[in-house]
Amino acid sequence: MTAVKVAILDDYQGVALECADWGRLDAEVEVFTDHILDVDELVRRLAGFEVVVAMRERTWFTAEVLRRLPDLRLLVSTGPRNVAIDVAAAARQGIVVSGTGYFGEPTAELTWALILAAARNLPVEERAMRDGGWQHTVGTGLHGKTLGLLGLGNLGSSVARIGQAFGMDTIAWSQNLTPERAAEHGVTAVTRQELFAHADVLSVHLVLSGRTRGLVGSAELAAMKPSAILVNTSRGPIIDQDALLDTLRRKAIRCAALDVYDVEPLPPEHPFRTLPNTVLTPHIGYVTRELYEVFYRDAVEDIAAFQAGQPIRVVT
């Protein structure tokens, strides 16, 4: 029997093969460490591969792309869901889509890394230290301040607990949040307007959907305090990019700390990269050794189960 051809996409750090036992598979595995943005180039590279392992939402598998990959039989997405995959189109072409396990603690941890970096001006001070400088800025403390959560699911509630450990008041809003549900986490449910007006730090923890895309726009940003910090480790399009750029250029809020963007990788010439009141990371909220080991271990299991004729963790 001929070994199945497996492509692993977007392994930016080159660690996929060391995070799982790929040798247990009867497979020829090829790793791509670069991001393939052009559709024609993506189709050319993946020609002949029967299995593709896609990292989260880095590469888009639209109906057009899937149609042009006639050899593809199994598409594994790290994580339990992936909006970059047209699952219905895959099903129509007889392509199985399988997911993997996931846990959210790394993203909550990075959220706090961004909050602290913004509050204490760490990027500026770290660069100054390397250049021989000493004490250029005055930071802001978090004790007694208000942490606002836009979304209070698993991630939002985890971020809230850490804020409470810092001695912050915690408030939250989402479309279906009730006072009782918020109180279970020691959080006060407020209106959408109150959330933006009162938060000293506002952290976004919503799933991107039709109703959340552009949810944070000019009106919401205008309601924020000039001293406020806006943090987004969820999805870039939840915040209107043009409105945020205008707000930052006018210095109408203190800082935006961002891990996610409308287009990823963020283009080298993007204005976010040059604004002084941003703290930027390259969508690494979930990028930890522990979670990568879950992703790739489960991907190997998905492929083995598919080869055995019993697909697992099928996404529908």
Side-chain angles (χ1 to χ4, degrees):
M1 182 180 294
T2 304
V4 66
K5 293 186 65 178
V6 177
I8 301 174
L9 295 183
D10 294 309
D11 181 16
Y12 297 156
Q13 296 88 0
V15 297
L17 295 183
E18 66 188 60
C19 285
D21 180 13
W22 297 90
R24 63 177 283 201
L25 299 174
D26 181 17
E28 297 177 7
V29 180
E30 184 171 352
V31 177
F32 297 93
T33 58
D34 60 330
H35 180 65
I36 311 166
L37 185 60
D38 181 77
V39 169
D40 291 336
E41 175 64 12
L42 177 66
V43 169
R44 185 191 70 77
R45 290 219 209 166
L46 294 184
F49 284 99
E50 299 151 272
V51 178
V52 170
V53 179
M55 173 58 75
R56 300 288 286 160
E57 291 157 12
R58 293 178 182 175
T59 294
W60 286 77
F61 287 89
T62 63
E64 177 198 355
V65 170
L66 294 169
R67 178 180 55 79
R68 295 173 63 184
L69 297 173
D71 296 314
L72 184 60
R73 294 291 176 264
L74 173 66
L75 180 53
V76 178
S77 169
T78 56
R81 62 186 174 198
N82 189 332
V83 299
I85 297 175
D86 189 331
V87 176
R92 288 194 298 269
Q93 292 186 203
I95 299 169
V96 175
V97 179
S98 287
T100 71
Y102 179 81
F103 51 86
E105 286 83 359
T107 300
E109 292 166 2
L110 185 78
T111 298
W112 274 99
L114 288 172
I115 292 171
L116 292 168
R120 301 301 292 270
N121 306 308
L122 294 190
V124 172
E125 295 292 1
E126 201 274 343
R127 285 193 297 267
M129 283 289 289
R130 292 184 183 277
D131 292 337
W134 189 259
Q135 287 201 19
H136 287 266
T137 65
V138 177
T140 185
L142 298 174
H143 183 85
K145 299 289 178 35
T146 297
L147 171 64
L149 290 311
L150 184 59
L152 195 64
N154 291 334
L155 274 173
S157 58
S158 294
V159 171
R161 286 194 296 274
I162 299 170
Q164 290 158 3
F166 274 103
M168 300 184 77
D169 296 324
T170 49
I171 62 175
W173 176 87
S174 66
Q175 193 166 45
N176 299 316
L177 181 64
T178 64
E180 294 76 18
R181 174 64 176 161
E184 292 174 7
H185 300 286
V187 176
T188 301
V190 296
T191 67
R192 181 169 161 183
Q193 293 75 18
E194 290 171 333
L195 180 74
F196 286 92
H198 296 319
D200 295 295
V201 176
L202 195 148
S203 192
V204 179
H205 299 287
L206 296 172
V207 174
L208 179 63
S209 67
R211 88 181 169 184
T212 63
R213 184 178 295 271
L215 181 65
V216 181
S218 297
E220 289 74 24
L221 294 169
M224 295 180 70
K225 299 176 182 180
S227 58
I229 296 168
L230 176 64
V231 184
N232 189 6
T233 55
S234 293
R235 290 294 180 271
I238 294 173
I239 301 175
D240 183 286
Q241 177 179 268
D242 291 339
L244 180 56
L245 283 168
D246 175 66
T247 299
L248 292 170
R249 285 168 175 150
R250 292 186 292 105
K251 299 183 179 178
I253 61 173
R254 174 190 172 107
C255 181
L258 308 172
D259 186 49
V260 289
Y261 310 91
D262 284 16
V263 176
E264 297 182 1
L266 189 69
E269 69 282 359
H270 197 283
F272 278 150
R273 293 184 183 267
T274 58
L275 288 170
N277 49 351
T278 57
V279 176
L280 308 176
T281 50
H283 202 158
I284 55 171
Y286 61 95
V287 181
T288 64
R289 173 71 58 172
E290 294 80 7
L291 189 49
Y292 267 33
E293 288 175 351
V294 169
F295 283 168
Y296 289 122
R297 179 203 67 205
D298 287 1
V300 169
E301 290 180 358
D302 288 347
I303 297 167
F306 180 80
Q307 288 182 300
Q310 298 179 321
I312 58 175
R313 290 188 281 264
V314 176
V315 179
T316 58

